[in-house]
Amino acid sequence: MFSAKNVTRASVAGGIAATALLLLAGPASAHVSVQPQGEAAKGGYATINFKVPNERDDASTTKVEVNFPTDHPLASVMPQPVPGWKIDVAKTKLAKPLEMHGNTITEAVSKVTWTADGGKIGPGQFQQFPLSVGQLPEDADQLVFKAIQTYDNRDIVRWIEEPKESGPEPLSPAPVLKLTAAAGDEHGTSAAKDTAGADAKAATASADTSDTTARALGLIGILVGIAGVTFAVLAGRRRTA
């Protein structure tokens, strides 16, 4: 049988274990992340939000840097103004120019930095930083952004570890934007089906109209023929009389 001491020790041990799990789970569940508004389709444009939570109880976030992938550069990046934050967009020359809408692009955005200018992310708060980006790559399933978060007590957290398909989540994972199938594939097929259906309906309607017209003309012809025969009979009778 368990004594009162054993029960107390077990309770204390359980409490310590639960606290340890919470401490370990805390940072992993509160990392910087990126999500699209709607979908981020391959080959298209999208509005994405970087969500930055504050992990400190005694400090505020005053600076957020997001580095853009170099293997799939984005030529068009437009930030949405965020009250209380100054925005800086840095570009770099491309080793291989991009072709976009018939234009040759020689540079792309390499980093976007938000610096507190009267604003901040306080303890227990988060802030979203929206961007309009494009043209998204057609030959990738995701884009990995590396983020750096700076606090007013000079602490710096680097969210730069790339998640792997298998294994546990890194302690400081980089934000990952998942890309969906190109919108043109599905919508194009649907549009083709709709067009084919409309053509079929139009052809059916035309055939029905032609058939109705033919029947009407045939009936008129019969009536005219009957009228002619009747007139001829009556005329013959008059002559005989």
Side-chain angles (χ1 to χ4, degrees):
M1 294 182 64
F2 289 101
S3 64
K5 283 186 177 180
N6 290 334
V7 172
T8 301
R9 289 175 181 173
S11 300
V12 172
I16 293 173
T19 302
L21 286 174
L22 288 174
L23 289 175
L24 289 174
S29 62
H31 54 73
V32 175
S33 60
V34 59
Q35 291 293 334
Q37 292 182 9
E39 290 188 347
K42 297 178 181 180
Y45 290 77
T47 298
I48 60 177
N49 285 321
F50 285 92
K51 182 179 180 181
V52 182
N54 194 327
E55 294 183 312
R56 300 290 189 267
D57 295 329
D58 56 353
S60 297
T61 297
T62 56
K63 187 177 181 181
V64 177
E65 301 169 67
V66 174
N67 293 278
F68 281 66
T70 56
D71 54 345
H72 295 290
L74 300 177
S76 176
V77 177
M78 293 187 295
Q80 178 177 316
V82 179
W85 294 81
K86 183 177 64 175
I87 306 172
D88 179 67
V89 179
K91 295 184 177 182
T92 185
K93 287 190 175 295
L94 297 175
K96 182 180 180 181
L98 297 174
E99 294 295 329
M100 183 179 295
H101 304 301
N103 297 320
T104 301
I105 308 299
T106 59
E107 60 179 14
V109 172
S110 57
K111 181 169 66 173
V112 177
T113 304
W114 291 268
T115 305
D117 185 19
K120 64 180 180 179
I121 309 174
Q125 299 177 343
F126 75 91
Q127 176 68 53
Q128 294 197 90
F129 299 97
L131 293 173
S132 174
V133 299
Q135 184 173 3
L136 297 174
E138 298 179 352
D139 57 349
D141 295 323
Q142 64 182 28
L143 292 177
V144 179
F145 301 86
K146 296 185 178 182
I148 299 175
Q149 183 177 9
T150 303
Y151 290 87
D152 56 8
N153 63 356
R154 297 187 179 181
D155 282 352
I156 295 177
V157 182
R158 302 178 186 276
W159 305 99
I160 60 174
E161 298 180 58
E162 296 191 25
K164 298 181 180 179
E165 293 183 1
S166 60
E169 183 181 54
L171 292 178
S172 301
V176 177
L177 177 66
K178 300 291 185 180
L179 304 182
T180 60
D185 294 344
E186 182 178 351
H187 296 324
T189 302
S190 177
K193 290 180 179 178
D194 292 343
T195 302
D199 291 343
K201 288 181 180 179
T204 302
S206 177
D208 291 343
T209 301
S210 299
D211 186 56
T212 302
T213 303
R215 289 181 182 179
L217 292 174
L219 180 59
I220 292 172
I222 292 172
L223 293 175
V224 171
I226 293 174
V229 172
T230 302
F231 177 77
V233 171
L234 291 175
R237 288 180 179 179
R238 288 177 182 175
R239 290 176 184 174
T240 303

